[in-house]
Amino acid sequence: MSRNKKLEVRDLTISFKTTQGMVRAVRGVDFDLYEGETLAIVGESGSGKSVTSRTIMGILAGNGVIDKGSIMYEGEDLTQIEEEEFHEIRGNKIGMIFQDPMSSLNPIMRIGKQITEGMILNGKRLKNKFEKLFHEEQARVDWLKRDIKRAKREFKQLKARAKEDETINLEQAKQKMLDRVAKAKDELKPAKVELKKAKAQAKQKIKEIWNAEKEKANNDIAKLKEQLEGANQEQAAKIKQQIADRKEELARFKQVTKKEARERAIQVMDEVGIPEPEKRLKQYPFQFSGGMRQRIVIAIALTLAPDILICDEPTTALDVTIQAQILELINRLKDEHNLSVIFITHDLGVVANMADRIGVMYAGKIVELGTSEDVFYDPRHPYTWALLSSMPDLDSTERLVAIPGTPPNMLYPPKGDAFADRNKYAMKIDFEKQPPMFEVSETHSAATWLLHKDAPKVEMPEVIKHRIERMLKRSSSSEVKS
């Protein structure tokens, strides 16, 4: 696995405005996603998994607020960019598969149109080439505009806090904000001039490129038309087809055509295992089974060839047999397309054979992070123990253990460890102070006071020890057979 980072999430904190107050859904989440790996984020419903993934996609609900933190992708912080810029990333660079395929698909639109729509809308090749020529100048202008908005927003937030905190010097903060805005405006004027100049040069260059390509195509078509004179019926049909192909080639130079999009749709439908794709393009979602609908959603995500694929519980609405097929498909496509995958689920069993690393999430925080082997064979957080104890396997004879209690109300986040009320191993400090991430190894860390050097030694539950023994035994016997 490559160690090239595709995504860096740092101290991501997200709240939701409600009539009762602010719900602290995500609280200081940190993780990296590496090229070609599958990172699974596991936890109960309401732990903040889907909120984190939707924030990465830029589709956070309207009442959602990013309090702080960053999501770095290709040198840009996704929490700071405008929707117009996000439109270029969403789908093209970061794709997403949602939980319920039926709610992701338009029930009254043919499947073919739903798969090709994104390709046609985003496939304006000449326009994209034009915009790339002045990308740096445009980025500079956009950054300065955002900085002005940020300065004003930060002052407004500081002003609201000043009502409760008398130590805040508003006059000084206001002057600092005005200076920052003035400086950004001074830099914005010459930046706009440079942008206008770069746009004019780009327009001229693209015009030259298009005229040269059009002239070349017209010359080719003219030569083919000359060959039509004196050609028999069979030869004429072939030449006419060549003329049509050359016109199509010219159109494709400018943008993705309907014909090209249809060909790509058939290709990806075949890749995801949908039989007779040419015929099924014309069908509606209700004519497909649940498993086939999920394959269509995966096909839509793949059409724009994203770098990162976020799978938000893609197997929850499917039966066990179909679940296995979809997981196998995602794994195969990841290898074929060199995708980096974030897999969101509440079921540790689902990711056992597909995740490279696992992040266990509880009450808006990642409480344990490690490789698949670390989490399954050497779990350290009591919440991970509880999840594993409640998960059946083929040889289970012990009674499965239910996790007592319910997750905390995030309108009032707990002062200490959020799992303390449900944790039979909780100590006094768990109710008073949040534990930091303790490093178990280079690849493994967990946020539990049980890992503190002064904490009493606590053994993992017997049910998990027995399960690990069985897994190791199965693993060694399968190696012997192979």
Side-chain angles (χ1 to χ4, degrees):
M1 183 180 70
S2 167
R3 301 311 289 172
N4 177 30
K5 284 182 190 177
K6 296 299 291 183
L7 195 75
E8 291 180 55
V9 178
R10 292 288 175 271
D11 196 25
L12 187 63
T13 305
I14 302 159
S15 303
F16 288 94
K17 296 173 187 173
T18 70
T19 52
Q20 295 173 295
M22 296 295 280
V23 176
R24 310 296 175 184
V26 176
R27 305 181 299 148
V29 164
D30 292 284
F31 65 83
D32 297 320
L33 178 69
Y34 294 95
E35 188 177 334
E37 84 160 343
T38 298
L39 171 68
I41 299 178
V42 184
E44 287 172 275
S45 296
S47 61
K49 311 181 301 294
S50 293
V51 173
T52 302
S53 66
R54 285 169 181 268
T55 307
I56 294 169
M57 278 294 286
I59 53 172
L60 191 62
N63 64 332
V65 179
I66 300 171
D67 298 314
K68 59 177 178 173
S70 63
I71 304 167
M72 298 304 295
Y73 173 72
E74 292 188 343
E76 279 194 290
D77 184 356
L78 301 186
T79 65
Q80 300 296 331
I81 66 173
E82 301 291 334
E83 174 56 29
E84 196 175 309
E85 291 175 80
F86 229 127
H87 182 69
E88 294 175 13
I89 293 170
R90 195 185 298 119
N92 289 310
K93 302 287 185 74
I94 305 174
M96 191 164 186
I97 303 167
F98 294 94
Q99 185 171 338
D100 180 11
M102 201 57 195
S103 64
S104 306
L105 298 169
N106 187 334
I108 57 169
M109 189 187 286
R110 294 182 195 273
I111 288 302
K113 190 173 181 184
Q114 296 193 57
I115 296 175
T116 59
E117 192 174 36
M119 285 186 276
I120 292 167
L121 285 172
N122 293 287
K124 294 174 173 59
R125 293 191 176 107
L126 217 55
K127 185 186 174 186
N128 294 341
K129 199 176 280 188
F130 166 66
E131 289 173 353
K132 273 183 183 177
L133 290 172
F134 57 86
H135 174 75
E136 284 183 20
E137 290 83 358
Q138 184 70 62
R140 176 67 180 155
V141 168
D142 291 341
W143 189 89
L144 289 165
K145 284 179 178 177
R146 282 201 303 271
D147 196 46
I148 292 166
K149 285 181 183 177
R150 257 197 311 270
K152 290 177 180 178
R153 186 173 64 244
E154 285 168 11
F155 176 69
K156 193 178 177 182
Q157 289 169 349
L158 199 68
K159 200 175 177 181
R161 278 184 11 229
K163 291 175 184 177
E164 297 172 5
D165 188 352
E166 292 178 2
T167 61
I168 294 172
N169 188 332
L170 272 181
E171 283 301 316
Q172 189 180 353
K174 186 178 180 180
Q175 190 56 52
K176 196 176 177 182
M177 179 270 289
L178 291 171
D179 290 345
R180 183 175 162 187
V181 169
K183 187 186 175 189
K185 282 183 176 177
D186 286 344
E187 290 179 25
L188 190 60
K189 289 173 186 176
K192 281 183 175 179
V193 171
E194 285 298 313
L195 175 61
K196 191 176 179 181
K197 185 181 171 184
K199 270 188 180 180
Q201 289 173 347
K203 192 175 180 180
Q204 184 59 36
K205 189 172 182 180
I206 290 298
K207 191 177 179 181
E208 288 170 9
I209 290 169
W210 174 240
N211 286 340
E213 190 64 29
K214 198 161 61 169
E215 188 182 347
K216 189 180 170 187
N218 288 337
N219 289 338
D220 291 342
I221 290 165
K223 286 175 185 176
L224 287 166
K225 282 181 178 178
E226 286 173 11
Q227 293 174 27
L228 277 173
E229 294 174 20
N232 60 39
Q233 195 174 352
E234 190 181 338
Q235 288 171 334
K238 281 182 181 178
I239 293 166
K240 282 177 183 177
Q241 185 56 53
Q242 285 176 322
I243 291 169
D245 290 344
R246 190 65 184 91
K247 285 179 179 177
E248 174 68 18
E249 193 182 324
L250 178 64
R252 288 186 186 191
F253 184 82
K254 191 175 184 180
Q255 62 188 46
V256 173
T257 63
K258 286 184 179 180
K259 186 181 177 183
E260 184 184 357
R262 187 177 184 277
E263 287 169 4
R264 175 71 178 138
I266 290 167
Q267 182 192 341
V268 292
M269 284 176 80
D270 188 51
E271 276 183 36
V272 299
I274 297 171
E276 300 180 280
E278 294 92 343
K279 178 186 171 186
R280 307 210 78 174
L281 270 176
K282 298 173 185 176
Q283 295 180 335
Y284 292 92
F286 70 84
Q287 294 174 283
F288 292 79
S289 66
M292 282 296 170
R293 282 197 290 264
Q294 193 60 286
R295 287 172 188 268
I296 290 160
V297 173
I298 294 169
I300 291 169
L302 288 175
T303 52
L304 297 173
D307 282 340
I308 297 170
L309 186 63
I310 300 173
C311 306
D312 188 5
E313 306 214 28
T315 60
T316 301
L318 308 174
D319 62 59
V320 177
T321 313
I322 304 301
Q323 271 188 19
Q325 291 174 11
I326 295 297
L327 292 174
E328 191 181 321
L329 172 64
I330 292 169
N331 251 345
R332 177 172 61 80
L333 293 170
K334 184 198 90 168
D335 293 336
E336 287 176 4
H337 296 265
N338 194 32
L339 293 168
S340 301
V341 177
I342 298 176
F343 197 98
I344 311 290
T345 182
H346 62 268
D347 187 353
L348 266 171
V350 165
V351 297
N353 295 316
M354 70 175 295
D356 297 301
R357 290 189 304 135
I358 297 172
V360 180
M361 202 165 178
Y362 185 77
K365 294 179 82 70
I366 288 180
V367 296
E368 186 156 7
L369 183 65
T371 64
S372 193
E373 288 78 12
D374 290 333
V375 173
F376 280 101
Y377 293 106
D378 187 25
R380 295 301 182 98
H381 198 283
Y383 180 59
T384 314
W385 292 349
L387 285 178
L388 288 166
S389 300
S390 64
M391 186 182 80
D393 67 16
L394 290 170
D395 304 313
S396 291
T397 53
E398 306 94 342
R399 184 183 179 88
L400 295 177
V401 181
I403 305 174
T406 56
N409 182 350
M410 298 314 290
L411 275 165
Y412 314 101
K415 184 181 175 184
D417 186 345
F419 191 58
D421 284 332
R422 307 172 74 186
N423 179 12
K424 66 180 181 180
Y425 307 103
M427 300 175 286
K428 186 184 176 184
I429 194 171
D430 283 301
F431 296 93
E432 296 171 350
K433 194 175 178 184
Q434 286 186 22
M437 270 288 199
F438 290 97
E439 191 176 285
V440 180
S441 69
E442 282 185 12
T443 59
H444 190 192
S445 55
T448 171
W449 287 115
L450 291 176
L451 291 173
H452 192 277
K453 60 183 176 63
D454 298 327
K457 188 170 174 61
V458 175
E459 296 289 335
M460 73 172 75
E462 288 298 315
V463 63
I464 300 175
K465 284 184 179 179
H466 294 154
R467 173 167 295 166
I468 291 169
E469 285 170 12
R470 289 196 299 270
M471 287 193 293
L472 287 168
K473 195 175 178 181
R474 273 202 301 270
S475 177
S476 59
S477 62
S478 64
E479 281 176 18
V480 169
K481 285 178 185 176
S482 61

